[in-house]
Amino acid sequence: MKPSGKTIREDLARAKAAYAKNDELRVLFCLGRSLQAFVAVKPFGPERITIEGLFREVFSCLSRLPHVAAIAPKGLPYVKGQEQKLAGYVAALHIKVEEAIQRETLEGMRARKLRIDQFVIKGQKYLAENNLLEAQRNFRSAVEEFVDEKGLFPLVAGKLLEAGHHKASLEYVKRAIEEYPENSRAYDFLMTALVGMGDFETGEKMLREVHRKTGDQSLLLANLALVLAKLEKWPEVAEAADKALALDPNLGLARKLSAMAKKKTEAVE
C-alpha cells in the first residue's frame, strides 16, 4: 500500500495498541515504518499537526518499555523535523531490542531444559531406591516444564517400565501419544505396559480418549485395532484397521489386523 497520511496514522495507532500489549518489537516496527512514510509523504497542514501529536504520544511511551529502557534509559524524544534521523535510531533500537529478547529466550530455554534434566535425574535416583512416590513427584515436575521436548514422555515412560511400574508409566505414554501420535516408540511402550498389567481394556479406553483429542491418526488407529484384537472385538478391529489403512495404505500392522478381523468375522458368520 502506498504510504499516505492515513497509513501513517494507522501505523501509529497500531504502535499504541502494541504498547498496551507490551509488544515492544511491534511498537518499534510500526513507529519506524510511520517515520519512513512521513519522510516520503511530507504531510502538511492540519494532517501534519495531527501526526506530529501522535508521534509525541508514541515516543513518550518508548521509555516505559522494559528493553528499550535498558538500552536507552533516557528515552528517545521526538524532535520535530528530525523524522529521517529518528527513523534510523528507531531501526537500530529495534535490532538491539530483538537481540536482547532472543538472548533472554535462549537463556530461558537452556535454564528450562536444565531443570527438566535435573528433575529426570532425581526421578531416576528415587526409582533406583524403589521410592515411586518421590520419583513421580520429580517426573511430574519435569513434565510441568514441557514445551517441545519430543523425547521427554517416552523417556520417563521407559524409565518406569524398566523399573517394573507398568501402570505408573501410562500417564506418560498417554502424553507421548497425545503430543506426537505418529511416534511408534510410544505405542511399543503402551503394549509393554498393557501386557505387564494384563489389562487391555485400560489401553482401549486410553487410546479412545486420545483419539477424541487428536482425531484420526494412522498409527493410533492401528494400535487401537491391536488392543481391540487382544480383547477379541473383531468388528471394531476391522473398523479401526481399515481407517488406519485409508490414511496409510502401506501400514503393515493395520493390513495384518484388517485381514485377521475379516477372517474372524467370517468364521463367526
Side-chain angles (χ1 to χ4, degrees), residues 155-179:
L155 173 66
V156 175
K159 297 298 179 186
L160 287 163
L161 287 171
E162 286 173 14
H165 298 292
H166 299 94
K167 186 174 181 180
S169 74
L170 285 180
E171 68 178 273
Y172 306 100
V173 172
K174 184 179 180 182
R175 282 294 301 275
I177 296 172
E178 285 175 347
E179 298 292 341

Side-chain angles (χ1 to χ4, degrees), residues 109-163:
M109 180 185 71
R110 286 173 177 163
R112 181 174 53 76
K113 288 182 182 293
L114 179 60
R115 288 194 298 273
I116 289 174
D117 289 344
Q118 289 171 338
F119 283 129
V120 170
I121 290 168
K122 284 183 181 178
Q124 289 177 253
K125 175 179 174 291
Y126 283 116
L127 268 186
E129 296 170 358
N130 202 30
N131 187 340
L132 179 60
L133 183 65
E134 282 301 311
Q136 283 283 61
R137 187 177 68 81
N138 280 278
F139 289 146
R140 285 169 182 153
S141 293
V143 166
E144 287 175 5
E145 299 281 351
F146 168 79
V147 174
D148 59 358
E149 293 77 15
K150 293 185 178 182
L152 176 60
F153 301 114
L155 173 66
V156 175
K159 297 298 179 186
L160 287 163
L161 287 171
E162 286 173 14

Side-chain angles (χ1 to χ4, degrees), residues 42-90:
K42 296 182 177 64
F44 58 90
E47 185 172 55
R48 182 185 183 98
I49 293 169
T50 299
I51 292 171
E52 288 173 344
L54 292 171
F55 275 138
R56 289 190 190 91
E57 286 183 46
V58 176
F59 272 90
S60 70
C61 295
L62 292 184
S63 62
R64 295 195 288 275
L65 293 171
H67 291 91
V68 174
I71 295 166
K74 294 182 180 179
L76 183 62
Y78 173 62
V79 181
K80 184 177 175 180
Q82 297 296 312
E83 289 78 14
Q84 188 160 1
K85 283 185 179 179
L86 289 169
Y89 293 150
V90 170

Side-chain angles (χ1 to χ4, degrees), residues 3 15 20 23 27 73 81 93-94 98-99 108 142 145 147 180 192-194 232 240:
D23 187 342
V27 172
L93 194 55
H94 185 280
E98 186 172 30
E99 288 173 348
E145 299 281 351
V147 174
Y180 309 102
T192 300
L194 297 179
E232 299 187 358

